[in-house]
Amino acid sequence: MLDLKLAGGTVLDGTGAPARRADVGVRGDRIESVGDLAQERAGRTLDVTGLTVTPGFIDIHSHSDWRLWGNRRAESKIRQGVTTEVVGNCGFSPAPVSDEFRGEMRGFALYVPEGMDFSWSSTRDYLRHYEDEGVALNVVQLIGHGTLRLAAMGFARRPPTAREQATMERLMDESMADGAAGLATGLIYAPGSYAATDEIVGIARRAGGPRYGFYASHIRGEGATLLDAVREAIQVGREAGLPVQVSHIKAAGRPHWGRVKDALALVDAARGEGLDVRADVYPYTASSTSLRTLMPDWVLEGGIEAMLGRLTDPASRARIRTEISGGAGILSRGIGWEDVMIANAPARPDAQGRRVSEIAAARGQDPLDAAFDLLVNEAGRGSVILFQLDEADFRRALAHPQVMIGSDGSSLAVEGVMGAGKPHPRNYGTFPRVLGHYARDEKLISLPEAVRKMTGLPADRLGLADRGVLRAGARADVVAFDAARIIDRATYEEPHRYAAGVSHVLVNGRVVVEGGEHTGALPGRVLSPS
Ligand SMILES: [Zn+2]
């Protein structure tokens, strides 16, 4: 007898194959059978007539490390149909931590939930909290290169000594043994930006090979230096011998629009060479990042306190002003302060949701000074949304067969502290937006292909042989949604809105969303390549 039966739905199995009429039977945490199960008895039956039944969505690029701590129900993601989040991206994971630089870790995190005290050292000790406290969806942990660098050498802006390099490599090695799935860099963010390629190759070697990890990279430049940055990511894969995931592929800034095509050509060429290189993308034309990333990276040398000192020092301010407007500075990309919206600034809630140009005008200030003041006010935290991407670039990326979907967002919730500020709508809308807007309404890709980009393709990247596909024997991560109705509802102005159209979500065979409502179940696990 089955534990659970989803009866009467249309199945898209995650391979890109066309839809077919089939029931889905679940026993324990596995799919027992797919087909006509009218004669099968089940403990419970969910009537999914008229709904599309697929494998649970895998968010290949998430930043939920910090939010899941206080949002174990993973509200904004699970309600999109996400059953696995890949965290630790863009160079920053909460573990491992060294005794020497524990304070630096604390100061570095953009958002530190209550109770997150960085008291752990190893990745294993950190990951244990998911099992101890429970979590609604599965978690795949990448190890941030910035985290490794902080643990080995703090915010030093120089190449590592041989000993520091060895420390980073050892921590990578241990983290893989502790259940991590690979290495993630954030090469526009200090301290990751202080690293040369050979440093990264040395660490990446410990993630790949027999450890089966992969290399995810927020590459060194997404504007003028985009193509060199993609080449560098590929070089790491080639030299360290591991798969490469180019994170949130994009061309930032008007002068660079159209270059995603060239970046994808580099991906194709690398694949032609036999390298396993892929990319992910989110379905929006605005990006989001920390407020401090707008500053040149030397500003962060020595850590947050040193940065705050520089921001209040007139000579340093003048130097930042010059650099930010020229060369590789943010304002050289054909975007202005009117394209920069403050997303999160708890100390200045009135600034949230407003453009920096607007905030400055209201205060009779120069926009740069307004941005500096906000950053100081937030003690170096705070985040922004940058309207700097091209819709045509996104469409090209989405249509590419090796590009999967990653939100670059976190699990938030419409209530409580998770509902604060004006965060990027991708936290709530990424997957339904691809399915509803781009596949169904715009017909940019087919629905089976859209589902493959959020299930089979990322599962293959992660080496999760029994997930991302709906077949007998696979783990029962399952979504049932209304293909005619699924859509994102979050906007830049009103981001805290759950998506519509997802009816039921199963994680490891347990029902976490039923009839669009969260059941409170926390059946998620930490997953490693199998
Ligand atoms: Zn990133």
Side-chain angles (χ1 to χ4, degrees), residues 61 63 89-90 185-186 188-189 218 222 247-248 250 288 408:
H61 191 95
H63 289 289
N89 276 293
C90 298
T185 52
I188 66 157
Y189 301 113
H218 179 149
E222 296 179 327
S247 300
H248 43 56
K250 62 167 92 73
S288 181
D408 202 12

Side-chain angles (χ1 to χ4, degrees), residues 418-474:
M418 295 295 152
K422 300 282 186 189
H424 197 296
R426 65 195 182 191
N427 297 289
Y428 286 84
T430 293
F431 295 84
R433 184 170 172 80
V434 169
L435 295 168
H437 182 63
Y438 287 106
R440 180 191 61 222
D441 297 344
E442 298 280 308
K443 299 189 169 45
L444 195 58
I445 50 174
S446 70
L447 191 63
E449 176 65 0
V451 169
R452 185 186 73 91
K453 285 173 176 292
M454 31 186 96
T455 57
L457 192 58
D460 187 56
R461 160 57 76 233
L462 297 170
L464 298 176
D466 56 358
R467 312 228 179 216
V469 57
L470 211 155
R471 59 164 168 75

Side-chain angles (χ1 to χ4, degrees), residues 180-399:
L183 172 68
T185 52
L187 300 179
I188 66 157
Y189 301 113
S193 57
Y194 302 154
T197 310
D198 59 346
E199 172 184 328
I200 300 160
V201 168
I203 302 168
R205 276 202 188 101
R206 306 304 186 97
R211 296 281 196 207
Y212 297 107
F214 70 104
Y215 174 61
S217 185
H218 179 149
I219 58 179
R220 209 177 284 272
E222 296 179 327
T225 58
L226 171 66
L227 300 181
D228 281 342
V230 172
R231 286 188 193 102
E232 183 190 27
I234 293 168
Q235 185 191 341
V236 170
R238 186 187 292 120
E239 291 184 13
L242 82 179
V244 175
Q245 182 77 11
V246 178
S247 300
H248 43 56
I249 195 163
K250 62 167 92 73
R254 275 170 217 283
H256 315 302
W257 287 1
R259 288 212 188 141
V260 164
K261 173 166 46 73
D262 305 323
L264 291 169
L266 291 175
V267 169
D268 288 335
R271 295 185 63 82
E273 219 186 288
L275 300 174
D276 179 0
V277 180
R278 287 166 169 159
D280 50 77
V281 74
Y282 52 78
Y284 296 89
T285 53
S287 60
S288 181
T289 190
S290 55
L291 181 51
R292 65 181 179 230
T293 304
L294 303 185
M295 307 291 144
D297 75 350
W298 58 264
V299 180
L300 210 63
E301 182 177 358
I304 300 294
E305 286 307 316
M307 176 183 84
L308 295 176
R310 288 184 190 110
L311 288 174
T312 43
D313 165 51
S316 301
R317 241 190 214 221
R319 183 179 162 199
I320 298 169
R321 185 184 302 275
T322 310
E323 291 189 15
I324 214 171
S325 317
I330 183 85
L331 298 178
S332 68
R333 295 187 197 154
I335 66 156
W337 289 111
E338 66 282 1
D339 300 314
V340 183
M341 184 179 121
I342 300 297
N344 227 291
R348 282 278 309 281
D350 61 297
Q352 294 174 157
R354 294 168 69 206
R355 310 294 171 120
V356 171
S357 53
E358 201 188 322
I359 295 164
R363 294 166 79 91
Q365 243 182 333
D366 177 83
L368 198 86
D369 286 319
F372 278 130
D373 289 354
L374 272 164
L375 190 52
V376 173
N377 252 308
E378 300 299 328
R381 298 201 166 91
S383 59
V384 291
I385 292 175
L386 301 168
F387 295 87
Q388 59 166 350
L389 308 177
D390 179 31
E391 174 80 15
D393 271 336
F394 162 70
R395 287 172 177 248
R396 208 164 275 124
L398 182 66

